[in-house]
Amino acid sequence: DADVTQTPRNRITKTGKRIMLECSQTKGHDRMYWYRQDPGLGLRLIYYSFDVKDINKGEISDGYSVSRQAQAKFSLSLESAIPNQTALYFCATSGNLAGEFEETQYFGPGTRLLVL
Amino acid sequence: QKEVEQNSGPLSVPEGAIASLNCTYSDRVSQSFFWYRQYSGKSPELIMSIYSNGDKEDGRFTAQLNKASQYVSLLIRDSQPSDSATYLCAVSGGYNKLIFGAGTRLAVHP
């Protein structure tokens, strides 16, 4: 089974709708991240969390919110979706487990979102 | 603003050749450097990490780091068509965050 999972894998929604993207991990990592990827722009950090009680904005947090429901779960919400939020969204995790370097990030399979 | 620069490519190399991918970064205090491979429509996959100046080899892959010149490179020996992908350079940005370059697209042709 995959260590980092994301649901849904694909989503089409309309402008103004609220949607939630979910991420779960079984790696035992304490740190979780949400990125979006647009063609030619690379990965841009939306939000990150180092602990259930620690949530931080990334470089492009406007229009997004997150919830860290448990150490293993980190959800991203678009309160009122707009077309320029059409992108590929990735969840990632990192941790300080034995044998790992804590800055190494491991990615989920991604969610392809289309806002009409 | 901290930046990571990569040539977008595509870098086209024949099968069996050495592919050389380069990355420069702006933050002198960065300590950790990563190369990820990303196939089209898939998630980034870690290939190499490097923390010290010099070379680090893993199979057909060699990462090279020069902190004084603020660049990191990835060499792929005996390139195969299956190596065709986008390669992302990532640099530590403090507070356990990574800053990613936009990626270099590599095409290995038979």
Side-chain angles (χ1 to χ4, degrees):
Chain A
D1 288 340
D3 294 322
V4 185
T5 58
Q6 293 183 234
T7 56
R9 295 293 312 278
N10 294 279
R11 179 73 183 269
I12 300 174
T13 191
K14 294 182 179 180
T15 297
K17 294 291 187 181
R18 181 182 188 277
I19 66 164
M20 178 183 291
L21 309 182
E22 298 185 332
C23 176
S24 294
Q25 53 111 349
T26 58
K27 298 184 75 67
H29 287 164
D30 51 359
R31 303 176 186 105
M32 299 186 73
Y33 308 79
W34 275 105
Y35 293 90
R36 68 176 278 175
Q37 187 175 40
D38 300 275
L41 293 180
L43 289 162
R44 293 184 291 167
L45 184 63
I46 306 173
Y47 270 95
Y48 60 103
S49 169
F50 291 164
D51 184 82
V52 173
K53 297 181 180 180
D54 179 71
I55 305 289
N56 304 279
K57 293 182 178 180
E59 61 179 304
I60 55 162
S61 59
D62 288 348
Y64 302 94
S65 62
V66 291
S67 173
R68 184 83 182 265
Q69 300 95 323
Q71 185 190 31
K73 296 183 181 294
F74 193 34
S75 299
L76 176 72
S77 293
L78 286 67
E79 297 300 327
S80 180
I82 56 177
N84 77 358
Q85 292 178 312
T86 293
L88 188 54
Y89 289 85
F90 288 106
C91 173
T93 72
S94 69
N96 194 22
L97 303 179
E100 288 186 341
F101 189 75
E102 61 184 17
E103 288 182 313
T104 303
Q105 293 186 16
Y106 300 89
F107 287 80
T111 295
R112 189 171 297 278
L113 175 65
L114 174 61
V115 183
L116 300 175
Chain B
Q1 184 172 345
K2 301 174 184 177
E3 294 182 341
V4 177
E5 300 287 340
Q6 295 181 255
N7 189 317
S8 62
L11 174 65
S12 182
V13 300
E15 184 174 356
I18 296 175
S20 178
L21 306 165
N22 300 311
C23 171
T24 59
Y25 59 95
S26 63
D27 188 359
R28 286 193 169 273
V29 303
S30 294
Q31 295 295 316
S32 309
F33 307 87
F34 305 85
W35 283 101
Y36 286 82
R37 178 178 61 200
Q38 185 177 25
Y39 293 112
S40 181
K42 303 297 185 181
S43 60
E45 171 193 13
L46 181 69
I47 297 177
M48 296 278 290
S49 56
I50 186 167
Y51 315 109
S52 303
N53 277 327
D55 296 358
K56 179 181 178 183
E57 186 175 319
D58 184 0
R60 296 187 296 113
F61 299 98
T62 298
Q64 299 175 318
L65 175 61
N66 184 322
K67 291 184 179 180
S69 299
Q70 294 177 241
Y71 84 78
V72 56
S73 62
L74 179 70
L75 301 179
I76 306 174
R77 291 182 299 281
D78 188 25
S79 295
Q80 301 296 310
S82 59
D83 294 326
S84 298
T86 296
Y87 290 80
L88 305 175
C89 173
V91 174
S92 60
Y95 302 103
N96 293 116
K97 294 188 294 181
L98 295 181
I99 301 170
F100 286 84
T104 298
R105 190 157 56 94
L106 173 66
V108 181
H109 54 86

